[in-house]
Structures are given as C-alpha cells and as structure tokens.
Amino acid sequence: MTRTSKVGGRDEEVARGAGPALLDVRGLRITSRIGGRRRVIVSGMDLALSPGETVGIVGESGSGKSMTARAILGLLPPGLFAQGTVHYEGRNLLELPERALARMRGADIGLILQDPYTMLNPLLRCGRHIEDTLRQRDKSWRGRRAHRDEALRRLEEVGISDPSVADRYPFQLSGGMRQRVGIAAALARDPKILVADEPTTALDVTTQKESLALLKSLQSTRAMGLILITHDLRIAFSMCDRVYVLYAGSLLEVGTAEAVEAEPLHPYTLGLLLSEPPATRRVSRLVAIDGTVSAADDVADRCAFAPRCKWKQEPCERGKPPLADLEGARQSACVRIDEIRGEIGELRRAAERPAEPVGVLAPARPLARVENVRKVFEGRAGRAGIDGVQALAGVSLEIGEGESVALVGESGSGKTTLGRCLVGLETPTSGGITIDGVTASDYGALSVQERRRLRRTVQMIFQDPYTSLNPAHSIGFTLREALRVGPEGTHDLDGSASELLERVGLPAAYLARKPVALSGGERQRVAIARALAVRPQLMVCDEPVSALDVSVQAQILNLFKRLRGELGVAYLFISHDLAVVRQVVDRVYVLHRGEVVESGPVDEILDDPHHPYTARLVASVPRSDRDWLSGQP
Amino acid sequence: MQRSQLLAFVGRRLAGLALLLCIISFGVFSLVHLVPGSAEQVLISGRRPPSPERVEAIRERYRLDESFWSQYTHWVRRAAVGDFGLSIRTGEPVARALRERAAPTLFLGVYAWILVVSVGIPLGVLAAVKKRTAIDRAAVAMSVAGVSAPAFVTGIFLLYIFAVVLGWFPAFGQGSGFAGRLQHLTLPALALALTGIAPVLRFTRTGMLETLEQDYIVFARARGLSRARVLFGYGLRNALIPVITAGGLLLGILLTGAVLVEVTFSIPGLGNLLIEAVNFHDIPVVQGVAMMTATLVIMVNLATDVLYMFIDPRIRFGQVAA
C-alpha cells in the first residue's frame, strides 16, 4: 500500500488548533484475518485531535468508523489487527502491551458505545459501574464509602440528581438515563479524550438532543478532546469543529464543519448532504446516491466511492487516491476535484430550490377510519404490582383513499400498536376500526371472505428488512406466495413476480436469490414488492427507512413517492423522523402517550406546532447549525 | 415487598411441585399392578409358595381388598412419612435401607459435584479466554472423551491406574470416618465427576464466549477495569446464568452415573440398592428409591430457580418471565 499523506498539511492543521495534537493517528489500517483470509476493514485513516477540540468521524454502516474508535483504545475484537501509528503523549498506542493500555483506558482515553441498552452490566447496580471505574484510580486509601459519594456526585454531573438511581439496575432505567449512567462511568476518571461511538443513535429524538447537549457541555467544561462518531452529518456539523468523512474504510474528506457544510469537496460528501431529507420543506425528489455501500475490501485499491460516483473516470480506479491538500486546511481524496468542483457547487445550489407544495387536500373518500381505539396490554397474571399498560388511550384518525398520512411519536407513544391493530396483528381493547366498509376492530370475528378481503386491502411494511423476509426462501418463492392470495389468481406467477420486482426497481434476476445475498435497501424493496402483490389500497409502513443508511433511505423514500403516484395507494407512515415524514405524507397525527395531541396538514403542523410536545419534537430534529443544541429542548 | 414476592414465588412453585410429586407417586405406586403377576405375588415373591397367613398379612397391609384408589391414598399417606413398607428381600423396613444406603451416595454425589464445579467452571473459563488455542482444544477434547466414556469405563481405568498399579487409593468399599470416606470415595467421585464435567465445561465455555462479546465487556475494558474484574465480575457472573440452568441436568447425569460407579467400586449406596432391588423384583424398595430420587430432583430444580432469582435482578423484579 502506497499511502502518501501530506505531512505538511497536517502540521498546519494542528497548528491551527489549540496547540500540539493530543492524539495523532496516521495511516491506521485495520485488517481482519479469519480462516487465513485477510480483508481490509479500514485502509488508511489519519486523524488529529487537539485538547478541547471536537472532531467528528462521519460514515455509513461499513465505513469502519466504529473499528477506528476501538483501534484507538486497543479494543479491536479478536481476529482484527491494526497497523500504523496512534500517538498519545509521545507513545504509539498500537505498540503498547495490553497491561499499559489497560492503565491508560478510562484514565486518558474513554469510550462510550452506541447502545445504552447493552453497554451496562445487567447484573450490576448503576452506581457500581461508576464505583468500578473509580476503584481503578485509587485502590488504596479511599474506602467504599468515598467511592459511593463520588459516584453520586458524578451522577449529578450528568443530570441525575436522584441518588436512588445509583441503587437501581440498568433494566429499570430508560435508554436516555442508561446513556447518562454510561457517560458518568466513562468519565469517572476524567480522561483527556472521550471517544463517543454513535452515542445517541439508539435513543429517541428528544432524548438524543438532550444527550448531545450534555456531552457538549461536559466536553467544554473539562476542555476534553471529543471524537464523535456518527452517521448523521447534521449532528456532526452542529457538534464538531472538524469532520472526517469516512466511506467503506477510506477517508474521503477532511475539513472544518462550517467549510464542509458550505461546500463539500468530495462527490460522496455531496451525495450524503443531498440524500438527507430536509426537515423544513418537501422536495419533489430526493437526490439519492445510486447503488449500495461497497465492502471496504473490494475497493481497497481504488477510490472507495468510484463504483457509485457519476464523475468516475479511469484514474479513479487506477489506485487509491491520497488525501490532497486544498485551501483552508481542507483535504479531499477526489482526484478530479479541481475539474468537478463547479458542478458539485451547482448541484448543491440546485437542491436548495424552493419547496414543492404538498398536494391539495381534496376531501377524499375515507378508506380507513379509527374511532376512539384503546389498547391495554394486560400485566402478567398472578404477578403482584404489575398493572396493564395502556398503549392507546382512545385514538381516532382517518385515512382517505390514496392519501398519505403519518403517525408521529417517540417510542412508547403507541404508534406501532395502532399500526398493528389496523392490520389485525393486535386487537383493540375497545373502539372501532373500519377499513373499506369492513369492520376491522377484531379480525378474529370476521368471516373468512371478509378477512381475505381485508388482507388484500391492507398490507404492512416492517422496520427491519433483515428479519421480515424468511431467510430460507428465495425472493421468487416469497413473491409467488404473496401473489397466490392476490386478486390476479395463479396464472403466470413468475411473470407477475418479475413485474413486481421491476416496479420496486430490482432486476428480475433477483427472483432466484435468497435474502442473505441482498443489502438492507434491496431487502426493503422486496418487502415492498411483497406487500404490493395483493394490490393493496393501504400500506401501513412502520418505520420503513429507519434501519437503512442515509444514502439508501433516500432511494426508498423516492420509491414510496413514485409508487403512490403510479398506483394511488394510501400510506399510513409510522415514524419518529419528522424530516422523513415531511417528504412523503400529506397529513400528520402526533401521538404522545397513546393520545393524539395534534393533527393536521404536514406543513402546518411542522412549521407552526401548537402543542408543546409537537414543538419539542420539531426542535429535536437535528440541524447543522451550532444553535441547534443551545436552543431550548 | 421483595421478600413477600420471593415467598409467593416459592409458594407457587412448591404447590406446583407437590402436584408433580402426586403424579409421579401415582406412577410409582402403579408399579405393583403393572409388574407381571398378581399384586400378592409381586409383593411376596420368593421361591417357596407363601403360606396363606403371609398372603393374608400382605393383603391386609396393602389393603388389596379395597379399591385401587383407596390402596393408592393409603400408600401415599404412609410414603409421605417415609414408610414404604418392608423389603421383600430382607424383610427390613425400606426406610431403614434407604437411610443406610443414602449416606455413601450423598457423600459421593456431593464430592463429585464439588469436583465438577471446581474443575468444570474454571476450565470452561480458561477455554473461552484461550479460544482457538491448544488449551481450548485440549479442554474440549477432554470433555468429549469424558462424556462419551461411561462412568464404569473411566472408573475401571482409574481403578487400574490409581488403585492397582500405583496403589494410592483403595479399590472398593466406602471406608469409615470422614477421612476414610474421603480416601475410599475419591476414585469413584472422580469417575462420576468426569461425566459431569463435560456439560458444565461446555456450558461455561459457550456462555463465557457469548458474554465476552457483549458491549458491557468492551465498555468495562474501555474504563480500564482490571482483567480479573472484567473476567469474573462482568463476564463469569453473566455467563453462569445458563450454567445454573444446567444444574438440574447435571443432577440427572450424576444420578445415573452414581448407579454405575457404585457397582464398579462396590459401594453399598442407593445405586447398588436399586440394582439389587430390581434384580429381586423388590418392588417396595424400588418404589422408595424412585420417590426419594424424584423428590431430590424436584427440590434441586426449585433451588436452581431460587438461585436464579438471586443472581439475575431482572427475574427478581419480574422483567423476564421466570
């Protein structure tokens, strides 16, 4: 591997910061060796962090961002190996023995993981996690009591003033609270650097904003170096001084947050920015990046983005392009950046074009009506102290023919429960559901014909395309099975199946494949095709894009918009993501603790929310500007 | 609140277990009528034809003139206080035989159990930590050998090497006094333990491997926690949850193993008693041994569940269905 990173540029960059680099990563290369086969995971990462600085590593899944974080702390999983240098206080961490590294972890460099639900030991009380970290600092003279007092103080620092939290087990706390406990435990020995690996991805939007604001304030009061790893460019821009854009194991662009946001200097960064659905307006079509993320190993010897880049030319595939210095301490790994810079700028400006008006809301014939639906999940029988949980507290809504309606809310709002009631996966405790003239409150009480008619009228798309397709069956089998119960009968199933695939933008050759050979976006397309097989009038889509990468999410959102135009199908879009909702629906119902708190046309609700909860949701949508985190939650 | 929840849980389980014991006892009692021959023949046996008085005594004792149901309730009432009648072979009360024979078996079982736990769990941890190394492979290979060789085979090997060739341990008998017992029962316990170590080692290894991949282990290491704390406080504690479940399974293995081992080493324990009883069609003794074993298995399973609650707070607080 010939990798020529421009050292001159690096020094300049560091000089611009608050002094010499606290952490200096150069030529970090991570490879896996499993069964004698070597694969590249990260093919050359450079990163510098000054004291008190926040840098962001932005990348989609498979970019190698998490492995970079773990390599810095010497915590790579077995079978993965790092080469290059990671300098901290004059020592190359990659050469340190495990014993010395262990002494450094937590004391010099801390780490927070993505999932607060799995980060804490389920068998230990929350306070013990912090005390465990503290005990590593001074085992000798401090007693348990002192550690405990200190743990309570640390919890207060992360905004938990209730001392009883220290005595609770992780499973008794919400995700946001667990994340706070995790942050307190990670910072208990006051490390100089904190690596935060997608710290808020698993949290609700409002909690995400609070957690990020907390991290930011802890970072600035301690003048701690923060490496924030995220897939969300908006979050990186609002939190970080500088950003590193990573794609399929290669570093593609480096620059200050302001500069990169103002003018991306790599086609991939541009693509990411354009794929991001704007929360403030609707665009007629999102500019998606074609194709799917390549495996790092497949593109280790060329520009990692070349397979998906519309400006690709022969030099892009001749070798791995090095990061080249540009003005203003910026770096880009695009070999053609000088030629295409103008075009990138134009595309960026074109995407800023004014909003597309939301379709006129002619009162359509109602297709589905939900009236005062309540759903109580019974507590387990015979167990004292656990009452039923009320998921829906009397919800009413209406979906017109061909209309696209969103059900918006955070986890626990009851939005998924309502969606499942509509397709008969749950039966409401009380209240009425009518779909296309059929009473659908209790699928079990329907006649066979009525139930069959309902199943043809309503279909569901699930959140996780990795579990919603049967891995044992080929795509063709799955589609033919769905077609057989459809209105078209059983003639020429293969032809109909290929048509379905074509409709969702997949080649007919996929009929023979198994789900395992498909990417997440492709699987979701198949799931949509399967739902379309019975020619439904209403599709209940439960967070259909939240498990997908941003660049793929845009493709699927465009598909949803196109299908509605072509088939006139109505959507009930269940989502926590207001930016996504903005792009695909006409009307919004905001659900909070099982009640609709606000509803109306999407523009009115999102531009001028009346209910405080809606306002909080709107304010929680990540924005690129620095004021996002300082604003009121 | 918590204590009352625990008591309620144990109460519920005990009620369920009582029902289970009733069902088992019904099956065990039915043995008398299921075995070929009339109940009198079964309960008297012997080569000489019994005297009419003897038959009458038996009919009286087992209420053979009354209905099946009344025979059963009568039998259960006596069994509940440990009275299983008289042994056909020796004419002694079954209860006395059980008492005498239980002591060496209990000693053997506990001894083997200690060996299993103190060897199986550490070896399992070691194999997991040294995954894919020679140590791991050796430990797994040993456990495969242990589980595939029946206790009487390993027992004979051990006998030959340590008792015959080296002469370190006695070859048979149960010895007297604690030290004597320890010395006499070391080889049998070892033979018995070898079959039990395999599953415990495997469960520990798998549980540990799974646990070591968890985020909370990475997070613990990232905070600089000592290796011992990460391995035992975070790793083993979580990994042991499935191992405890294997406790009931282990008991089954040890019980069947004990029968074979006692015969191999001529230990006058419950296993030997059972074999003798079966050979002699000594139904009252078979019934006694069966009921005693069933009760033991059920009690150990209850203890496992309670232990579970103490280890895993999620179960204690009713988050996961117990």
Side-chain angles (χ1 to χ4, degrees):
Chain A
M1 270 307 111
T2 53
R3 173 138 191 89
T4 53
S5 98
K6 303 274 175 89
V7 178
R10 165 56 48 78
D11 289 346
E12 238 177 69
E13 194 178 287
V14 169
R16 245 183 2 85
L22 187 58
L23 186 79
D24 193 1
V25 180
R26 290 191 198 202
L28 177 67
R29 189 178 149 80
I30 303 173
T31 47
S32 70
R33 198 166 49 215
I34 291 164
R37 204 170 120 64
R38 297 180 70 100
R39 290 180 67 92
V40 177
I41 309 275
V42 171
S43 53
M45 176 80 188
D46 298 336
L47 183 141
L49 177 72
S50 306
E53 191 187 24
T54 304
V55 303
I57 301 179
V58 182
E60 298 180 281
S61 54
S63 64
K65 54 191 193 303
S66 292
M67 287 308 135
T68 303
R70 290 180 64 168
I72 290 172
L73 281 102
L75 288 175
L76 283 175
L80 262 60
F81 304 91
Q83 294 161 285
T85 59
V86 176
H87 275 285
Y88 172 80
E89 290 188 340
R91 290 188 294 179
N92 180 6
L93 303 187
L94 294 187
E95 284 169 359
L96 283 187
E98 171 62 26
R99 193 173 276 272
L101 267 177
R103 263 201 301 276
M104 230 196 49
R105 292 187 202 119
D108 295 291
I109 308 182
L111 173 71
I112 302 176
L113 299 170
Q114 171 172 0
D115 191 347
Y117 296 92
T118 59
M119 190 168 62
L120 302 176
N121 184 345
L123 307 185
L124 283 191
R125 295 172 197 274
C126 291
R128 274 305 293 277
H129 286 86
I130 304 172
E131 289 164 40
D132 271 349
T133 322
L134 288 169
R135 197 158 297 134
Q136 293 308 310
R137 185 171 62 184
D138 41 351
K139 296 167 187 161
S140 48
W141 56 275
R142 271 175 180 246
R144 278 206 153 184
R145 173 120 225 151
H147 282 311
R148 188 173 159 81
D149 293 345
E150 180 71 10
L152 293 180
R153 211 179 60 70
R154 296 291 179 158
L155 281 176
E156 236 178 283
E157 194 185 1
V158 295
I160 299 176
S161 47
D162 177 3
S164 75
V165 169
D167 288 324
R168 280 193 229 155
Y169 287 98
F171 71 87
Q172 295 173 304
L173 301 179
S174 69
M177 289 281 267
R178 292 189 212 192
Q179 190 61 275
R180 281 167 194 263
V181 171
I183 292 173
L187 294 182
R189 289 162 77 195
D190 302 309
K192 300 193 185 78
I193 298 173
L194 179 67
V195 182
D197 185 2
E198 300 251 21
T200 56
T201 307
L203 303 177
D204 268 326
V205 275
T206 52
T207 322
Q208 156 165 294
K209 193 183 169 197
E210 287 159 17
S211 291
L212 288 174
L214 170 70
L215 265 183
K216 189 75 198 161
S217 84
L218 288 171
Q219 181 263 333
S220 61
T221 51
R222 292 156 178 257
M224 179 175 68
L226 174 65
I227 299 177
L228 179 75
I229 293 168
T230 176
H231 67 280
D232 194 325
L233 264 178
R234 299 168 300 183
I235 288 176
F237 287 149
S238 69
M239 286 276 288
C240 302
D241 301 310
R242 290 182 305 118
V243 295
Y244 290 76
V245 181
L246 200 60
Y247 177 80
S250 303
L251 191 53
L252 296 186
E253 183 170 358
V254 183
T256 63
E258 291 88 359
V260 175
E261 203 222 340
E263 191 196 6
L265 289 180
H266 195 286
Y268 173 63
T269 321
L270 173 77
L272 264 191
L273 278 167
L274 298 185
S275 307
E276 195 70 68
T280 49
R281 67 207 154 78
R282 170 176 292 193
V283 294
S284 54
R285 196 166 180 283
L286 290 163
V287 187
I289 309 175
D290 290 335
T292 49
V293 181
S294 315
D297 191 55
D298 297 338
V299 291
D301 58 347
R302 69 193 85 156
C303 171
F305 191 58
R308 298 173 78 185
C309 183
K310 61 189 256 192
W311 290 286
K312 177 187 74 178
Q313 278 187 355
E314 191 265 330
C316 302
E317 299 191 303
R318 208 182 292 144
K320 174 129 286 204
L323 268 186
D325 288 323
L326 301 164
E327 81 287 346
R330 298 193 60 178
Q331 295 171 299
S332 166
C334 180
V335 287
R336 300 191 62 213
I337 188 63
D338 292 333
E339 303 163 58
I340 64 173
R341 202 165 164 170
E343 276 182 70
I344 286 183
E346 263 169 50
L347 280 172
R348 188 80 206 283
R349 276 187 297 280
E352 303 285 332
R353 68 185 173 276
E356 181 204 50
V358 173
V360 276
L361 299 164
R365 192 177 77 86
L367 175 65
R369 176 177 280 139
V370 172
E371 271 166 314
N372 205 19
V373 160
R374 278 181 70 245
K375 175 72 190 176
V376 179
F377 288 102
E378 299 294 337
R380 265 195 308 284
R383 197 173 281 279
I386 297 176
D387 300 325
V389 178
Q390 180 165 275
L392 295 172
V395 173
S396 301
L397 60 80
E398 216 178 87
I399 307 165
E401 253 176 11
E403 198 186 16
S404 179
V405 170
L407 203 54
V408 168
E410 294 185 289
S411 53
S413 64
K415 57 188 196 302
T416 294
T417 305
L418 186 63
R420 291 172 66 88
C421 283
L422 269 170
V423 295
L425 292 173
E426 302 283 358
T427 303
T429 310
S430 69
I433 298 177
T434 321
I435 299 171
D436 200 19
V438 179
T439 307
S441 321
D442 184 0
Y443 274 55
L446 293 175
S447 70
V448 178
Q449 284 92 350
E450 277 179 321
R451 193 154 53 231
R452 185 175 298 159
R453 209 182 113 207
L454 268 187
R455 299 260 188 240
R456 282 184 192 169
T457 313
V458 196
Q459 281 289 308
M460 184 150 184
I461 310 276
F462 296 89
Q463 172 174 7
D464 185 358
Y466 289 90
T467 54
S468 64
L469 296 175
N470 187 337
H473 293 320
S474 70
I475 305 305
F477 183 94
T478 300
L479 292 182
R480 283 193 299 273
E481 188 180 57
L483 280 164
R484 229 168 261 135
V485 297
E488 277 153 280
T490 52
H491 70 278
D492 192 21
L493 285 175
D494 281 318
S496 309
S498 330
E499 264 172 49
L500 278 176
L501 278 188
E502 198 183 316
R503 202 173 265 300
V504 297
L506 290 176
Y510 274 48
L511 285 178
R513 297 200 188 175
K514 292 267 173 76
V516 66
L518 270 57
S519 70
E522 288 169 335
R523 288 178 204 217
Q524 200 60 300
R525 283 174 194 270
V526 171
I528 294 170
R530 179 178 56 184
L532 289 176
V534 298
R535 305 209 165 173
Q537 296 182 61
L538 172 63
M539 299 220 305
V540 177
C541 311
D542 189 2
E543 301 270 12
V545 293
S546 64
L548 306 175
D549 276 321
V550 189
S551 68
V552 178
Q553 170 182 304
Q555 296 171 7
I556 301 296
L557 288 179
N558 283 335
L559 176 65
F560 274 118
K561 295 172 92 162
R562 177 165 66 77
L563 288 176
R564 190 177 160 211
E566 288 173 5
L567 305 171
V569 59
Y571 294 136
L572 178 66
F573 226 83
I574 298 168
S575 180
H576 71 281
D577 190 332
L578 295 182
V580 162
V581 161
R582 187 108 196 193
Q583 305 308 317
V584 286
V585 308
D586 311 329
R587 279 192 306 122
V588 175
Y589 289 89
V590 181
L591 209 56
H592 182 46
R593 294 190 184 149
E595 280 179 86
V596 173
V597 294
E598 197 166 358
S599 66
V602 64
D603 284 347
E604 272 176 37
I605 298 286
L606 298 193
D607 291 339
D608 184 20
H610 282 88
H611 193 277
Y613 178 69
T614 318
R616 214 151 73 86
L617 272 185
V618 171
S620 299
V621 177
R623 288 199 311 267
S624 302
D625 57 278
R626 302 230 144 206
D627 301 331
W628 175 55
L629 286 174
S630 47
Q632 284 304 304
Chain B
M1 175 67 182
Q2 244 201 72
R3 169 173 299 224
S4 69
Q5 266 183 349
L6 179 69
L7 286 178
F9 169 78
V10 173
R12 268 202 315 281
R13 291 302 301 261
L14 278 176
L17 297 180
L19 184 72
L20 186 63
L21 264 184
C22 279
I23 297 169
I24 294 172
S25 67
F26 189 75
V28 166
F29 168 75
S30 306
L31 276 178
V32 177
H33 295 276
L34 291 176
V35 173
S38 73
E40 295 93 326
Q41 285 170 331
V42 168
L43 290 169
I44 297 170
S45 101
R47 282 171 206 97
R48 286 174 295 120
S51 63
E53 297 81 49
R54 189 96 195 280
V55 174
E56 199 43 51
I58 289 291
R59 291 197 72 84
E60 168 67 30
R61 183 178 160 78
Y62 290 93
R63 312 241 167 137
L64 292 181
D65 298 325
E66 295 174 26
S67 71
F68 181 82
W69 182 248
S70 138
Q71 290 175 35
Y72 170 67
T73 48
H74 176 69
W75 180 82
V76 161
R77 231 175 279 135
R78 302 182 116 191
V81 293
D83 181 4
F84 292 97
L86 300 177
S87 162
I88 292 162
R89 192 167 56 95
T90 61
E92 280 182 6
V94 172
R96 193 195 297 164
L98 286 180
R99 245 197 326 276
E100 276 169 16
R101 300 298 195 94
T105 303
L106 205 63
F107 195 96
L108 178 67
V110 171
Y111 195 171
W113 186 83
I114 291 172
L115 284 176
V116 165
V117 169
S118 60
V119 174
I121 292 178
L123 268 186
V125 172
L126 190 68
V129 173
K130 304 275 177 196
K131 186 186 161 195
R132 293 214 195 99
T133 63
I135 295 176
D136 179 25
R137 292 202 187 94
V140 172
M142 208 193 78
S143 77
V144 172
V147 83
S148 31
F152 59 86
V153 174
T154 44
I156 289 169
F157 265 99
L158 291 173
L159 261 182
Y160 181 73
I161 297 170
F162 293 103
V164 178
V165 176
L166 297 171
W168 292 355
F169 296 99
F172 58 86
Q174 58 161 323
S176 57
F178 183 77
R181 279 236 161 121
L182 203 62
Q183 205 199 3
H184 275 84
L185 292 180
T186 296
L187 286 186
L190 206 57
L192 187 52
L194 277 176
T195 47
I197 285 174
V200 168
L201 186 150
R202 298 216 134 191
F203 272 105
T204 310
R205 179 178 176 272
T206 322
M208 202 64 187
L209 281 179
E210 235 165 65
T211 309
L212 288 180
E213 277 178 14
Q214 297 296 315
D215 277 357
Y216 53 80
I217 296 291
V218 176
F219 188 53
R221 291 182 64 200
R223 286 179 286 143
L225 266 52
S226 70
R227 197 170 161 73
R229 180 80 186 132
V230 173
L231 220 49
F232 299 109
Y234 284 63
L236 187 59
R237 249 187 102 180
N238 279 286
L240 275 186
I241 293 175
V243 179
I244 291 169
T245 322
L249 185 74
L250 179 66
L251 182 73
I253 293 173
L254 289 184
L255 279 177
T256 20
V259 176
L260 302 173
V261 166
E262 283 180 11
V263 173
T264 312
F265 288 88
S266 332
I267 299 164
L270 281 179
N272 255 330
L273 179 67
L274 183 65
I275 300 236
E276 290 160 17
V278 169
N279 280 338
F280 273 86
H281 294 291
D282 195 345
I283 294 298
V285 173
V286 173
Q287 285 174 327
V289 174
M291 285 313 293
M292 196 165 146
T293 331
T295 314
L296 183 69
V297 169
I298 284 172
M299 293 315 283
V300 166
N301 273 309
L302 176 66
T304 309
D305 285 345
V306 173
L307 193 62
Y308 228 153
M309 284 180 88
F310 275 102
I311 287 194
D312 196 336
R314 286 165 296 188
I315 292 173
R316 210 180 321 146
F317 290 90
Q319 276 286 306
V320 184

